[in-house]
Amino acid sequence: MELKKDSNSVSIDMLLIVHSEKRRAARGTHSDLQADPGALLQRRGGFQGVGNGIRKWQKIEANDLHGHLAEKQHPQQTQVITAYDNQGTQLTVEVHPQDAVPQLLKKFSLAKRLQGDKNGNTRPRQPGGKDAHAYPWDRSSLKSMPLDLRQFEDLDTYASQVTVKSGLDELVSDLVQEAHSDLERVRAIWIWICHHIEYDVIAAQEKDRQAFKVTDILQTQKTNCDGYAGLFEKMCRIAGVQCMTVPGYSKGFGYQIGQSFSGEFDHAWNAVYLEGRWHLVDSTWGSGLVDKTTSKFTFLYNEFYFLTHPALFIEDHFPDNKNWQLLKPPQSLRQFENGMYHKSEFYNKGMLSAHPETSIIRTVNGRATVTIESCTPTLFMFMLNGKQEHGLLSLRENGMKLEVYPPTMGTHNLQIFAKGSSDIYSSVLEYTLKCNFVDFGARLPADLHQPVGPSWFSEQMGILKPSHPDPIIHTSDGRCSISFGVDEGISILASLHGDDGLITEEMQRRYIFQLHREKRTELKVQLPHAGKFALKIFVKKRQEPGNYIFVFNYLLCCTNTKVNWPMFPESFGNWGQDNELLEPLSGVLPANRNIPFKLKLHGIAKALVKGQDTWPLTLNREGYWEGSCSTAGCQEVYVMVLENANHNFYSYILKYKVNAQ
């Protein structure tokens, strides 16, 4: 090989390439060089919110070493002589005009590496060991390099406000005015694209080739994923930063859990060279989302896809060349297909891991269990087949636990959502459940909402030190007493819900009697019959307007078929928060009986019980109002109090019903 070099160019008069046919035959995947140089690869672009492709990549004869598409050869200008020895070694000699660039050199992208681009930028080496990150993720960072996003605040604001004046060169020049490093130049370009370029849904569906031309992108400010990646690469090159476009498969819109990938690639993204190392970005998915129902694009900036850690990027991006995974060890296509897919919001909202680590779960004895670990306390919810039913979700200090009981055999869809610091729940995980057995004994009340059991959230809402920290309470006689501390100024409301329809909305609070003792609230619960019930707990600040807020619920379980407790007496607004009822607790009194009463009432002057006649209550030494009344001849009995001794107006505080004779 003879090299001649002047100040402007490098020419190669003869190129000899020696490699083993046996080795090439073993590399028979489309992500590497093909054994047949005439093989044609077709690829198309895709988007996180659109399932079908955008356009087919240009037909080519092979990939270059960087995964880029080599130009078509013109055999009439060159002669290629190939010979083999008996060991299977191939010798290829290319003879070409002196001033022409060798075609084999183009194919292996050495020409561009030696010549550089129009700005004099030379291509770095293929990604190698120093670019690779360990797999699986080590939880160190969401990014592939140390970043403090606060350092970009001013630059992000500036870049998002830059407008197109003429062409791409001037746009890049304006963007990098406030950038002082390659990292900041890349950041400015990323921010501008993510905030100005809209995903072209129509072009994606029609596979419009015009959608990825730079002039059209700048004019319409719309494109597909090919256009996003191509524009990002061109802008980085103009800014003097090395950048590559990487085609491959993606788990975007239309992705089905467990599906296999083959044929045309459906997406494209970028690798950018910063601080001596390759990094990954996806400006398509960083810009926004396409709504599944309306097929309309919405700008929704996603920081996750800027310099994403490769061990996380591989969850939804599989490049044509395994070297662009930037992982050690690299993952196979089968691993990509079968691997758990954590959506970007999973990591954006501070989650670390989820178990099981497979996206398809087979129930055991009719139950499937999912746990999530998070960095900070997080609110979760779930939906099974689109409904918030058939599951017990309990919050933990750093995550959650979910037990799901599918109501039928077959395949079910389980979605898990997280709230994070925003007021919006976002989908973070999705599983497919395979159920071959239904545990009918595990059926749950439809009104059992999420979460179940007390947690850091109930403590944050003012409910402290619960007597029952577990979410499920078993009672053998159909009664239970639950207590907890309550922050000052907090009011508690509770209601009981079952599935049999016997508990009407009016009766939901009548099977619960609320007492207050020494800064603790006690809920006495009596079940109307055996079964499973949801005990819902609500809170409200007394001095603030508005409705009570749901905090959590308990699951109450009773298997005793003899249980048949009546409701508690009905209480009225004047029943004080600190009042206490000792007897009678049943809201239904027997007829023609003398019934003893014992209550602790605060801040009153007199108390009495009114039925057919009136019976006064007296205050004993322990501070309880005591007395009795006859239920003869009456259908209802009331407890009444006089708050001011100087007035004659009595208020109703409790109401009992009397059984018919």
Side-chain angles (χ1 to χ4, degrees):
M1 179 188 299
E2 180 182 355
L3 296 179
K4 296 181 180 180
K5 182 176 181 180
D6 58 27
S7 59
N8 298 316
S9 65
V10 174
S11 64
I12 299 178
D13 292 316
M14 180 177 292
L15 176 66
L16 302 181
I17 300 175
V18 180
H19 50 110
S20 169
E21 276 299 308
K22 294 179 180 177
R23 181 181 177 190
R24 295 184 66 188
R27 299 170 62 194
T29 64
H30 54 247
S31 62
D32 295 305
L33 294 173
Q34 301 297 313
D36 177 9
L40 301 180
L41 299 180
Q42 293 181 342
R43 295 152 188 197
R44 66 182 183 180
F47 184 68
Q48 191 176 14
V50 173
N52 52 4
I54 313 312
R55 68 166 173 98
K56 292 183 178 180
W57 291 78
Q58 296 175 359
K59 291 184 177 182
I60 61 170
E61 301 202 354
N63 280 342
D64 61 29
L65 284 177
H66 294 287
H68 272 199
L69 311 181
E71 300 176 7
K72 296 183 68 174
Q73 298 188 45
H74 302 281
Q76 70 274 15
Q77 297 180 3
T78 64
Q79 294 182 3
V80 178
I81 303 170
T82 302
Y84 302 87
D85 65 10
N86 56 10
Q87 300 297 321
T89 300
Q90 173 188 329
L91 174 64
T92 301
V93 178
E94 178 184 305
V95 181
H96 61 88
Q98 181 173 358
D99 296 331
V101 177
Q103 297 303 310
L104 284 173
L105 196 59
K106 281 187 179 181
K107 185 176 295 185
F108 290 100
S109 76
L110 293 173
K112 289 185 178 180
R113 186 193 303 182
L114 294 174
Q115 291 181 337
D117 60 24
K118 68 178 183 179
N119 294 299
N121 301 319
T122 58
R123 289 183 182 273
R125 50 169 175 69
Q126 266 277 85
K130 68 178 296 186
D131 301 288
H133 295 253
Y135 184 89
W137 184 45
D138 60 6
R139 301 186 178 188
S140 60
S141 172
L142 300 183
K143 302 297 186 182
S144 55
M145 64 186 300
L147 285 183
D148 181 357
L149 294 179
R150 292 172 296 182
Q151 75 182 78
F152 297 131
E153 290 178 356
D154 293 340
L155 180 62
D156 289 355
T157 301
Y158 169 79
S160 64
Q161 297 173 353
V162 173
T163 57
V164 179
K165 297 175 182 177
S166 57
L168 192 63
D169 290 312
E170 184 178 0
L171 172 62
V172 174
S173 177
D174 290 343
L175 282 172
V176 301
Q177 280 186 6
E178 300 298 322
H180 306 291
S181 65
D182 281 354
L183 172 60
E184 292 188 351
R185 283 183 274 275
V186 169
R187 179 71 180 189
I189 292 168
W190 156 269
I191 288 293
W192 187 88
I193 291 178
C194 288
H195 287 80
H196 289 82
I197 303 303
E198 178 180 345
Y199 189 77
D200 194 335
V201 180
I202 296 176
Q205 294 171 342
E206 297 178 353
K207 304 178 183 180
D208 184 0
R209 290 178 176 272
Q210 301 299 319
F212 51 83
K213 290 185 177 180
V214 171
T215 53
D216 293 308
I217 295 173
L218 294 184
Q219 181 178 358
T220 64
Q221 296 205 347
K222 292 183 178 182
T223 188
N224 55 26
C225 70
D226 288 342
Y228 276 99
L231 179 63
F232 188 88
E233 179 179 350
K234 287 182 175 64
M235 293 177 74
C236 285
R237 296 272 186 86
I238 293 172
V241 180
Q242 301 295 337
C243 183
M244 305 287 284
T245 294
V246 182
Y249 295 120
S250 66
K251 294 180 179 178
F253 180 82
Y255 166 71
Q256 300 294 323
I257 293 176
Q259 79 174 61
S260 59
F261 292 86
S262 62
E264 298 176 355
F265 296 123
D266 63 4
H267 194 41
W269 55 93
N270 295 101
V272 63
Y273 197 74
L274 295 171
E275 299 182 9
R277 201 175 191 186
W278 286 105
H279 304 270
L280 301 169
V281 300
D282 187 342
S283 56
T284 311
W285 291 8
S287 63
L289 297 170
V290 172
D291 186 89
K292 293 182 179 180
T293 56
T294 64
S295 294
K296 291 185 178 180
F297 173 83
T298 301
F299 279 107
L300 185 63
Y301 177 72
N302 193 343
E303 173 64 38
F304 180 76
Y305 291 105
F306 178 73
L307 307 185
T308 315
H309 194 292
L312 305 180
F313 204 76
I314 192 62
E315 291 194 23
D316 48 18
H317 292 74
F318 188 84
D320 66 333
N321 185 326
K322 66 181 180 181
N323 292 335
W324 288 114
Q325 294 180 25
L326 307 183
L327 289 176
K328 55 182 179 183
Q331 301 298 287
S332 67
L333 181 59
R334 178 65 61 87
Q335 288 173 304
F336 174 73
E337 292 170 344
N338 296 335
M340 186 62 204
Y341 171 37
H342 305 89
K343 299 181 181 182
S344 61
E345 284 300 289
F346 181 91
Y347 297 108
N348 284 339
K349 293 186 181 298
M351 272 143 272
L352 298 172
S353 65
H355 297 276
E357 295 181 342
T358 57
S359 54
I360 299 178
I361 305 175
R362 298 190 181 276
T363 60
V364 177
N365 296 326
R367 181 180 68 182
T369 303
V370 176
T371 59
I372 292 179
E373 181 184 358
S374 60
C375 295
T376 57
T378 304
L379 288 175
F380 294 89
M381 62 169 283
F382 77 92
M383 298 186 77
L384 183 67
N385 302 324
K387 296 182 179 180
Q388 299 182 47
E389 298 178 356
H390 310 294
L392 295 171
L393 188 152
S394 55
L395 299 177
R396 297 175 172 179
E397 192 69 28
N398 291 309
M400 70 88 172
K401 178 182 179 181
L402 170 64
E403 293 181 345
V404 181
Y405 302 86
T408 60
M409 292 189 293
T411 301
H412 303 267
N413 176 256
L414 174 63
Q415 291 178 286
I416 298 176
F417 304 82
K419 193 172 183 180
S421 58
S422 67
D423 292 331
I424 300 174
Y425 280 92
S426 302
S427 177
V428 295
L429 280 180
E430 188 170 349
Y431 289 95
T432 294
L433 304 187
K434 301 284 188 178
C435 179
N436 57 9
F437 171 79
V438 176
D439 183 358
F440 292 101
R443 292 199 175 237
L444 303 172
D447 283 333
L448 187 73
H449 291 169
Q450 309 154 46
V452 180
S455 66
W456 62 265
F457 178 65
S458 56
E459 184 174 335
Q460 181 177 295
M461 297 300 290
I463 298 177
L464 315 172
K465 299 180 179 179
S467 60
H468 294 68
D470 295 329
I472 303 176
I473 299 175
H474 294 274
T475 169
S476 58
D477 63 356
R479 295 184 296 180
C480 65
S481 177
I482 303 164
S483 65
F484 36 74
V486 179
D487 277 345
E488 187 174 352
I490 296 293
S491 294
I492 301 292
L493 183 68
S495 59
L496 189 70
H497 304 258
D499 275 346
D500 52 19
L502 298 178
I503 303 179
T504 65
E505 184 175 351
E506 179 184 357
M507 299 162 59
Q508 287 171 356
R509 291 193 291 273
R510 293 286 305 280
Y511 286 98
I512 306 164
F513 201 81
Q514 187 169 319
L515 304 172
H516 297 271
R517 295 175 179 171
E518 298 178 356
K519 297 183 179 181
R520 287 186 69 83
T521 292
E522 181 182 1
L523 301 177
K524 291 182 177 294
V525 183
Q526 296 182 163
L527 301 181
H529 53 76
K532 294 181 179 179
F533 299 84
L535 177 63
K536 303 171 102 41
I537 311 295
F538 303 82
V539 302
K540 178 182 177 297
K541 291 185 177 181
R542 295 175 191 168
Q543 303 301 323
E544 293 184 2
N547 298 323
Y548 280 83
I549 300 171
F550 170 73
V551 180
F552 72 98
N553 41 210
Y554 284 106
L555 175 64
L556 307 184
C557 303
C558 178
T559 58
N560 186 349
T561 56
K562 295 182 180 180
V563 166
N564 184 24
W565 291 105
M567 294 181 291
F568 287 102
E570 182 178 357
S571 60
F572 297 100
N574 287 335
W575 175 261
Q577 287 284 335
D578 297 324
N579 290 347
E580 183 179 346
L581 174 66
L582 272 69
E583 58 178 346
L585 290 175
S586 174
V588 181
L589 303 178
N592 302 315
R593 294 278 300 275
N594 282 326
I595 307 297
F597 281 77
K598 186 175 183 180
L599 309 89
K600 178 170 283 189
L601 306 171
H602 298 275
I604 66 158
K606 294 182 180 181
L608 59 84
V609 179
K610 184 178 185 305
Q612 184 73 15
D613 296 312
T614 300
W615 291 268
L617 299 178
T618 58
L619 184 64
N620 66 19
R621 294 180 179 179
E622 290 79 26
Y624 290 95
W625 292 86
E626 291 182 305
S628 63
C629 81
S630 172
T631 58
C634 60
Q635 297 179 341
E636 296 174 338
V637 171
Y638 294 89
V639 177
M640 306 174 67
V641 297
L642 180 67
E643 297 180 3
N644 190 329
N646 297 321
H647 297 87
N648 295 321
F649 180 76
Y650 280 81
S651 301
Y652 293 94
I653 59 173
L654 294 176
K655 175 184 176 181
Y656 294 84
K657 287 189 176 183
V658 178
N659 271 330
Q661 298 182 10

